Amino acid sequence: MAPSFAVHARRGAAALATAAVLGAAAAPAAFADGSPSPAAPGLYGAKDPKFDGVFRQSLVLVAQGTTGRPDEAAVNWLAGQQCSDGGFAGYRADTGKACDPKAGEFTDATSAAVQGLAAAGGRSAAVQKGLDWLKGHQNEDGGWGMTPGAASDANSTSIAIGAFAAARQDPAKAAAKSGKSPYDALLSFQLGCDKKEDERGAFAYMPQKGELQANDLASAAAALAALGKGFGAGAPKQSDKPVKPLECTGDENAKPQDAEAAADAVAGYLAKKLDADGGQLKSSMPGAPEGPDFGATADAVIALAAGGHREAAGKPLAWLESKDSKTAEWAKGDPGRLAKLILAAHTAGADPRAFGGTDLVRQLADTAPKPQATATPQAKEEKKDGGSDSSRWWVLGAAFIASVGVGILLSGRMKKKQ
């Protein structure tokens, strides 16, 4: 919400979006000014969609579903990105070109798209095709990796669980041929009583040299999935549920045995970690500068609030809303990030239209694609004559951008993979 996108990324870190490895195309996915390609009408955001187009659009639709009605043009754009086999790539510049089922389709993008289309409504056939794709690429341990055939990891498994939940299908019944359910895989990544006290209940992204290492990004994603919920999870109406750390009664091998216990244990871990760091989760993406991880903190708010832990969710929510956090600067103009904050506010019971003095809903609407202006008589004349000097230089500049394959890589997972 596993993801984003996410938005608003993993291989030891999560990101707002899922990265797709695409070469430079004959025409750029986004031109020098950052505006979306004419090949993608309906896409939110001005940044090059090459790596995160599907993920950020999915987050937008889920967020819009909590504040009103999703933009129909945006829904059509996302549905048009689906491959014939039901999967999704990170972004398809040419949807008339068939997808390569062995390369380019991603679990995270597919799971996010299913959640976005489910939130939009009226796309049951596309949603089911996406779920069928996930079922067709499920590992024997019940989980999923970032790409078909890749070893299962906590984040991809979490976002896939969210996809089934968003479609109102029981994730526990999405069993692999081996009989293993997604929760069998997910719980295998949770740290138990054999770890340090401040790590117990956390989730690892995946085993590293046979060892599970606590990862805040994986923990936030898994905390929501263990509840059987996706990006658009609402908070229960019950009174506040206190958090508590994983109880260890002398058995160093003890760990949660079911999804409910796993959700409680990771909530205890997250709440303690957030409290120790002043309401924020720190960046754990390899190579990233030290500092707050806004996306992971928002994910933690969603997971804690969805689990009924209102008080525990309140501290990170307050940090995100504070001017000192500079969250508004982080999210401004980025639809995936704005959507993630809207979802955090929605789940925790805050007003996304007055989020720390910022109207997130308005800002998200401002990232919608602008209608193309009608050509003026002067522009038509320039086109007839071959274009003005400035327009010819602009085209040459765009061609240069295309030739070098300029794009914005948002996925920490892909950074590590490369």
Side-chain angles (χ1 to χ4, degrees), residues 29-31 33-37 43-49 56 333-335 367 408:
F31 293 112
D33 65 354
S35 59
S37 164
L43 174 63
Y44 273 63
K47 293 180 181 178
D48 187 341
R56 79 191 190 207
D334 189 303
T367 68
I408 300 176

Side-chain angles (χ1 to χ4, degrees), residues 95-123:
T95 55
K97 183 179 179 181
C99 299
D100 182 351
K102 296 182 179 179
E105 294 179 49
F106 290 85
T107 299
D108 298 56
T110 302
S111 299
V114 166
Q115 295 191 50
L117 293 173
R123 301 283 177 162

